Amino acid sequence: MESLYNLNYDQMCEYALDHGWKSYRGHQIFQWLYRNRVFDIDEMTNVSKETREILKKDFIVNPLELIKKQVSHDGTTKFLFKTSDGALLESVMMVFDYGRSVCVSSQVGCNMGCAFCASGLTKKKRDLTSGEMVAQVMYVQKELDKDNLRLSHIVVMGTGEPFDNYDNVMNFLAIVNHDRGLGIGSRHITISTCGIVPRILDFANEHTQYNLAISLHAPNDELRDQLMPVNHAYPLKELMEAIQYYGKENNRRLTFEYILLKGVNDHPEHAKQLSKLLHGMNAYVNLIPYNAVDEKGFKSVTHDEAMVFYDLLMKNHVRCTIRKEHGNDIDAACGQLRIKEIKKEGI
């Protein structure tokens, strides 16, 4: 059955009108889902029993089952879920000085095939629905409710390529952003892409206030071809042109994600090439320590080595940060817990 989480606010009100109810009934249901955070339609106590019975014929609420939870010493919490068709997906809640952020998966598996990523160890089986993405957020929020805490940020950086599931991801963002629901601010929401150029152009034309992050990881086509097969379809020249169009249309600062792989993309020459590539852009680079994946064979740089790369970028007037490591005592790498469970269950 379809999840109520699939419906955005306007669709919820339209559903009410289609059944001869006042649009306010749709508003009530939306409030029950996102303000009261019920997982059971029968808990919507100010909605008539007749209305609830109709809803139960058409919808369920939560389409996910929690299979496993890992908690790190730093508060990072990884959730492994199973969908109604038996697929596995994971989400991660991270604790920062500025609040709590959840990293959401957008697909079951991933077809992008990035050489260093655990997510790509299994090919994409299907896109996640908007409701399955919303359910990840709602499950984490309900966990935080136990301690009167609130999610403040959402990043769509989990398993899958969000711009390969564009319509469902955009509907998901509209749902969690809506001020009558969870009300996560647009500027507290980040969507990450490895570089699907046509969708970057579509996203630019949406003129939203969501943040855009580009998974770059290499400063030249030769190296990026080796690390990220998407570069064969959309090489750096095309990618940078699309990014410049996005910047012109939205006047928003971009984030470039750059995982430092020891001996691969961390040389001084790479820092110089990256500085030249990003010269004059309203952007900053998020340098990311690599969480090792056994099947991939890459190694992370040390903190001192990361600082050398950081200093070279800063000296060349590229703003950057080194992302704090999270969950290094659990299956921290994106997709890692899911892959372990798949191997164990033989899925």
Side-chain angles (χ1 to χ4, degrees):
M1 291 179 70
E2 185 178 3
S3 169
L4 270 172
Y5 288 147
N6 278 327
L7 303 187
N8 61 39
Y9 182 81
D10 291 340
Q11 291 167 340
M12 196 79 76
C13 293
E14 287 170 12
Y15 176 86
L17 292 172
D18 288 345
H19 285 75
W21 311 330
K22 293 181 179 179
S23 63
Y24 180 74
R25 184 65 71 205
H27 171 83
Q28 274 185 311
I29 296 166
F30 203 77
Q31 295 269 76
W32 274 109
L33 291 176
Y34 300 107
R35 294 290 176 86
N36 299 91
R37 300 197 258 281
V38 301
F39 276 173
D40 187 338
I41 289 171
D42 279 328
E43 291 180 36
M44 301 179 183
T45 51
N46 66 347
V47 176
S48 71
K49 184 176 180 182
E50 179 185 3
T51 299
R52 280 181 271 148
E53 291 304 315
I54 292 171
L55 281 174
K56 286 192 290 186
K57 288 178 182 177
D58 292 340
F59 297 103
I60 58 170
V61 178
N62 181 20
L64 302 180
E65 176 190 356
L66 181 67
I67 299 299
K68 189 170 290 187
K69 182 172 80 169
Q70 292 182 336
V71 182
S72 169
H73 65 85
D74 62 12
T76 300
T77 306
K78 177 161 275 196
F79 300 86
L80 182 69
F81 299 108
K82 182 175 283 188
T83 65
S84 58
D85 62 353
L88 297 176
L89 61 99
E90 60 183 45
S91 314
V92 185
M93 190 276 293
M94 293 164 287
V95 181
F96 296 93
D97 293 340
Y98 55 74
R100 287 163 176 79
S101 178
V102 60
C103 182
V104 174
S105 293
S106 58
Q107 294 178 317
V108 178
C110 183
N111 278 344
M112 296 300 108
C114 296
F116 46 82
C117 184
S119 296
L121 288 170
T122 59
K123 294 296 183 183
K124 184 182 90 168
K125 291 186 177 179
R126 66 173 176 87
D127 293 329
L128 292 180
T129 65
S130 300
E132 287 168 330
M133 286 180 268
V134 171
Q136 295 172 61
V137 175
M138 295 309 300
Y139 200 101
V140 174
Q141 180 56 67
K142 279 180 73 73
E143 287 285 295
L144 291 175
D145 284 340
K146 297 173 184 177
D147 296 310
N148 293 314
L149 299 171
R150 183 177 183 271
L151 274 173
S152 59
H153 292 70
I154 293 173
V155 292
V156 191
M157 295 183 183
T159 299
E161 163 52 52
F163 279 1
D164 190 37
N165 186 16
Y166 186 83
D167 290 340
N168 282 332
V169 167
M170 294 306 293
N171 189 53
F172 154 67
L173 296 181
I175 293 167
V176 295
N177 174 239
H178 202 284
D179 59 6
R180 288 174 174 164
L182 276 183
I184 306 290
S186 297
R187 297 194 178 203
H188 289 181
I189 294 173
T190 300
I191 183 168
S192 174
T193 177
C194 67
I196 310 293
V197 165
R199 298 293 81 78
I200 292 173
L201 298 176
D202 290 341
F203 187 71
N205 292 327
E206 301 267 2
H207 298 112
T208 67
Q209 293 295 303
Y210 306 134
N211 301 305
L212 179 62
I214 306 296
S215 294
L216 192 62
H217 310 310
N220 62 67
D221 280 322
E222 182 181 3
L223 182 55
R224 201 164 191 265
D225 282 347
Q226 296 172 29
L227 295 176
M228 304 179 71
V230 69
N231 201 66
H232 294 288
Y234 306 111
L236 282 174
K237 183 176 184 295
E238 287 184 41
L239 176 59
M240 299 310 290
E241 287 174 354
I243 288 167
Q244 286 163 3
Y245 176 76
Y246 169 83
K248 178 171 67 75
E249 286 292 310
N250 292 273
N251 193 29
R252 302 278 292 134
R253 187 176 73 166
L254 274 159
T255 299
F256 287 92
E257 297 164 322
Y258 196 98
I259 292 176
L260 288 167
L261 304 168
K262 189 177 182 68
V264 177
N265 65 352
D266 62 332
H267 296 250
E269 184 59 29
H270 295 136
K272 294 174 186 175
Q273 291 173 2
L274 185 57
S275 301
K276 185 177 179 180
L277 184 69
L278 305 185
H279 178 73
M281 295 186 65
N282 180 21
Y284 81 100
V285 177
N286 188 14
L287 298 173
I288 304 171
Y290 181 61
N291 281 314
V293 177
D294 292 342
E295 294 87 347
K296 295 298 184 179
F298 292 101
K299 295 181 179 179
S300 182
V301 298
T302 65
H303 179 73
D304 288 345
E305 289 167 335
M307 284 303 301
V308 170
F309 202 89
Y310 169 90
D311 287 339
L312 284 169
L313 291 181
M314 293 292 282
K315 286 174 183 176
N316 283 282
H317 311 292
V318 174
R319 289 168 291 178
C320 58
T321 57
I322 299 176
R323 189 164 80 182
K324 181 182 175 183
E325 292 187 74
H326 290 268
N328 55 14
D329 58 329
I330 59 176
D331 294 308
C334 181
Q336 204 167 35
L337 178 58
R338 174 178 172 266
I339 292 298
K340 280 191 174 182
E341 193 69 16
I342 286 172
K343 287 180 176 179
K344 189 176 81 174
E345 295 187 8
I347 297 175

